[in-house]
Amino acid sequence: MDLTSLLIFAGALVVSAGSPGPSIAALVARVLTRGVKDVLPFLAAMWIGEAIWLSLAIFGLAVVAQSFHLAFAVIKWAGVAYLLWLAWKMWTAPVAEEGAALPASDSPFKLFFAGMAVTLGNPKIMVFYLALLPTIVDLGSVTIVGWAELTATMAVVLIAVDLGWTFAASQARRLLRSPRATRIANRVSATAMAGAAGAIATR
């Protein structure tokens, strides 16, 4: 891949990944309610999920993705159900008083599944890789080395963008000290999570 093509791809991905959507809403909601300590499996699944979409597009498997529409639909609705469950947990979460034990974190597997479901079931991401990417990169001429270069570029962009959102959410969380502020943050986060589920379900 020539440098110009990689830069164009990176710029388009920055715009797509940086704009708020279901994945970002779910990520920010998670950080606001639980902090950054256990969010890595969720982030890793988001990045792997986008690498899957990129690979499908590059290797000409868009038709295969359409053929397995039912499988992706199952993943989508499983993700919607899990996000709604998380939203309910956030909305009803008790506000921890000073000295009280923090709620137990979800298992890394559950967080990884949630991140993968959000990413694979997100129409915005699917459209970017299967519809917009071919207008940015000549996929027919991409070799294995080119795929590796695009994947590495994608990883750098997504890590920078998603960690930026994570840092911003963690800084906002530091301001939430009182029980009332924590309750409001929990319910705003629950609303954002439910909104992410709704955005995925209606597209």
Side-chain angles (χ1 to χ4, degrees), residues 6 9 42 52 74 84 88 90 104 116 119 148 158 168 175 178 201:
L6 290 176
F9 168 68
F42 189 88
I52 290 173
V74 170
L84 289 174
W88 178 79
M90 289 176 184
M116 189 65 70
T119 305
L158 293 180
L175 302 176
S178 70

Side-chain angles (χ1 to χ4, degrees), residues 67-76:
S67 300
F68 287 95
H69 175 72
L70 178 60
F72 284 103
V74 170
I75 292 172
K76 168 183 172 177

Side-chain angles (χ1 to χ4, degrees), residues 55-147:
S55 300
L56 285 172
I58 288 177
F59 295 116
L61 296 182
V63 174
V64 174
Q66 294 298 326
S67 300
F68 287 95
H69 175 72
L70 178 60
F72 284 103
V74 170
I75 292 172
K76 168 183 172 177
W77 289 105
V80 167
Y82 188 69
L83 288 178
L84 289 174
W85 181 71
L86 287 178
W88 178 79
K89 283 184 63 180
M90 289 176 184
W91 187 273
T92 59
V95 178
E97 301 293 342
E98 187 174 353
L102 292 175
S105 299
D106 288 327
S107 71
F109 175 79
K110 288 182 179 178
L111 288 173
F112 186 87
F113 169 77
M116 189 65 70
V118 167
T119 305
L120 293 182
N122 188 344
K124 172 187 163 188
I125 296 174
M126 178 180 69
V127 167
F128 177 81
Y129 287 109
L130 298 185
L132 296 182
L133 182 63
T135 69
I136 300 170
V137 177
D138 181 9
L139 299 181
S141 63
V142 176
T143 63
I144 293 294
V145 174
W147 166 80

